[in-house]
């Protein structure tokens, strides 16, 4: 299982996007406006990562019930280094103390071994197509990844 998350930071409500794949095929994806107005792109990205990590926990439970237990943490790819560091608790300063605990769920799930936050280049982030308009070439590239073509 592999997960990607992304956000499109806006002046008002940002958009969260995520996709979760198993063996190259999508089993879960979503695109939704965030309930809270993010004050930075890092905050919007950590909110998206937390949503994706919660969905990963759900799908790991289903796989466990089916006898397909996943012994290793699920990689969760984010394209914002600040969000990656914040999820790993390597970066917690005055500029990030305003982020509510509920949006840092990804930290708890990483500590529990459910997910492992990793960096991905923005051009390779499959969940990009769920958060913002992309050109045809980029759309086809991400679609082929999602459809296991």
């Amino acid at each position: 299982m592999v997960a990607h998350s992304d956000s499109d930071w806006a002046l008002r409500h940002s958009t969260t996007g995520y996709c979760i794949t198993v063996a190259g095929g999508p089993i879960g994806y979503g695109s939704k406006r965030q309930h809270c107005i993010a004050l930075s792109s890092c905050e919007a990205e950590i909110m998206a990562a937390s949503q994706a990590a919660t969905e990963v926990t759900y799908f790991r439970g289903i796989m466990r019930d089916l006898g397909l237990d996943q012994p290793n943490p699920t990689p969760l790819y984010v394209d914002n280094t600040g969000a990656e560091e914040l999820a790993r608790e390597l970066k917690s300063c005055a500029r990030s103390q305003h982020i509510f605990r509920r949006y840092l769920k990804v930290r708890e799930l990483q500590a529990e071994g459910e997910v492992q936050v990793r960096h991905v280049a923005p051009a390779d982030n499959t969940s990009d197509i769920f958060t913002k308009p992309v050109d045809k070439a980029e759309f086809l590239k991400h679609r082929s990844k999602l459809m296991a073509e």
Side-chain angles (χ1 to χ4, degrees), residues 16-137:
T16 287
Y18 65 89
C19 61
I20 302 165
T21 59
V22 171
I27 60 168
Y29 59 90
S31 178
K32 186 177 180 181
R33 288 268 185 219
Q34 294 176 350
H35 297 290
C36 178
I37 296 175
L39 300 178
S40 66
S41 61
C42 179
E43 182 178 4
E45 292 279 351
I46 202 74
M47 290 165 67
S50 290
Q51 177 66 39
T54 302
E55 293 293 323
V56 164
T57 303
Y58 170 75
F59 285 113
R60 284 175 64 101
I62 289 176
M63 291 182 71
R64 193 171 18 257
D65 290 346
L66 294 172
L68 302 170
D69 197 20
Q70 190 176 5
N72 297 323
T74 300
L76 170 58
Y77 291 98
V78 298
D79 61 5
N80 183 292
T81 54
E84 179 187 11
E85 292 173 4
L86 191 58
R88 293 182 184 190
E89 292 189 275
L90 298 177
K91 183 179 179 183
S92 187
C93 61
R95 293 190 303 176
S96 64
Q97 68 186 8
H98 67 280
I99 300 173
F100 292 118
R101 187 176 184 281
R102 67 182 284 186
Y103 299 123
L104 296 175
K105 179 73 175 168
V106 68
R107 276 185 181 172
E108 293 174 25
L109 295 174
Q110 182 156 295
E112 294 170 4
E114 292 285 315
V115 297
Q116 182 182 33
V117 177
R118 298 180 183 173
H119 187 263
V120 64
D124 297 326
N125 194 345
T126 308
S127 61
D128 228 15
I129 62 173
F130 297 112
T131 60
K132 55 187 82 77
V134 294
D135 62 23
K136 184 177 180 179

Side-chain angles (χ1 to χ4, degrees), residues 24 126 129 138-149:
T126 308
I129 62 173
E138 190 173 352
F139 176 79
L140 293 174
K141 178 179 84 169
H142 292 310
R143 185 188 71 176
S144 68
K145 286 182 191 176
L146 286 171
M147 302 307 288
E149 294 176 354

